[in-house]
Amino acid sequence: MIIETLSVFPEMFTTPMNTSILGIARRKGILEFHAHDLREWTHDRHRTTDDQPYGGGQGLLMKCDPVFEALDELESPKHNPIPAKTIFFTPSGEPFSQALATELAQESRLIFVCGRYEGFDERVYTRADRCISLGDYVLTGGELAAMVVSDAICRLLPGVLGDEASPYEESFSEGLLEFPQYTRPAVCRGLEVPAILLSGDHGKVDAWRRMEAIRKTALLRPDLLETADLTPEEKTFANGVCNGTAD
Ligand code: ADE
């Protein structure tokens, strides 16, 4: 997987993209990452990438030309023959989700375009394969969104995490929150680990985890239950949790 970012603050990516799992994925060659400086595609002395909006109004907009020129180059086979999907980060994009991370993890090359200021001149979106929003709030720029999306994609790439991570993926792809987890000691400040987890009975542990994932989802994110893949018995249990009648 190749991820390239286009931004006026490429240095923001240095530590997050070199640390922990992302850093390991890069060193293993599973992830290739390049942060491009949008100012390299400007031609004036001040390397201007923003300007005032037509029609008036507060703030500055990212100009079309540097973005168009940068994408002409980055999308060209001369730069890289691997076809790329170009993604813009904006609060008006489609909401990011685990399903979208899974979809993007199938791509070979992604170009992430990160805005600053009050956003982009609308014409740049003619170059977007997709626009993604991290959520219903406004960030100071798209860089943090690009890092979050890179992280969520990278951990799905084969060879990045060990096999032990797959049950978690399964659980999330079924639209539920993760079941509660515990590690040693078995008793900490009087708080006990549920006995079933110490029983060594894997069948019972799996069944308990499934029901606890449903319980947690019903308590914390009941909206997710509408699309979760549940059996009729599980639905009854989830409704009981929501109504306060389940034990
Ligand atoms: N840029 C500014 N706010 C954003 C958001 N919520 N998601 C993605 N990009 C953004």
Side-chain angles (χ1 to χ4, degrees), residues 88-93 115-117 132-146:
F88 284 70
F89 290 98
T90 158
S92 51
R116 280 266 140 193
Y117 319 112
I132 295 180
S133 165
L134 221 55
D136 290 340
Y137 42 79
V138 182
L139 301 168
T140 55
E143 289 85 354
L144 288 168

Side-chain angles (χ1 to χ4, degrees), residues 60-140:
L60 297 170
L61 289 178
M62 303 284 293
K63 290 162 68 66
C64 295
D65 270 331
V67 176
F68 283 154
E69 285 188 31
L71 290 178
D72 286 346
E73 183 171 337
L74 298 180
E75 290 173 351
S76 76
K78 204 171 145 214
H79 171 73
N80 193 324
I82 298 170
K85 287 267 154 51
T86 298
I87 296 180
F88 284 70
F89 290 98
T90 158
S92 51
E94 62 185 301
F96 189 56
S97 63
Q98 189 64 34
L100 187 44
T102 307
E103 203 182 321
L104 295 176
Q106 314 304 315
E107 299 291 343
S108 304
R109 188 158 78 98
L110 297 168
I111 299 173
F112 288 160
V113 188
C114 310
R116 280 266 140 193
Y117 319 112
E118 294 302 309
F120 291 103
D121 179 311
E122 194 67 20
R123 291 169 290 185
V124 300
Y125 297 118
T126 56
R127 300 294 289 266
D129 289 301
R130 299 185 99 119
C131 293
I132 295 180
S133 165
L134 221 55
D136 290 340
Y137 42 79
V138 182
L139 301 168
T140 55

Side-chain angles (χ1 to χ4, degrees), residues 22 25 43 45-46 79 132 167 238 244:
L22 291 172
H43 305 287
R45 202 158 53 91
H46 301 291
H79 171 73
I132 295 180

Side-chain angles (χ1 to χ4, degrees), residues 195-224:
I196 204 156
L197 297 177
L198 310 175
S199 69
D201 184 332
H202 295 300
K204 280 192 178 157
V205 167
D206 286 347
W208 180 87
R209 285 179 165 166
R210 174 83 184 160
M211 294 317 262
E212 291 309 310
I214 295 169
R215 185 197 305 278
K216 197 166 166 183
T217 308
L219 288 171
L220 302 176
R221 290 289 307 277
D223 56 302
L224 294 179

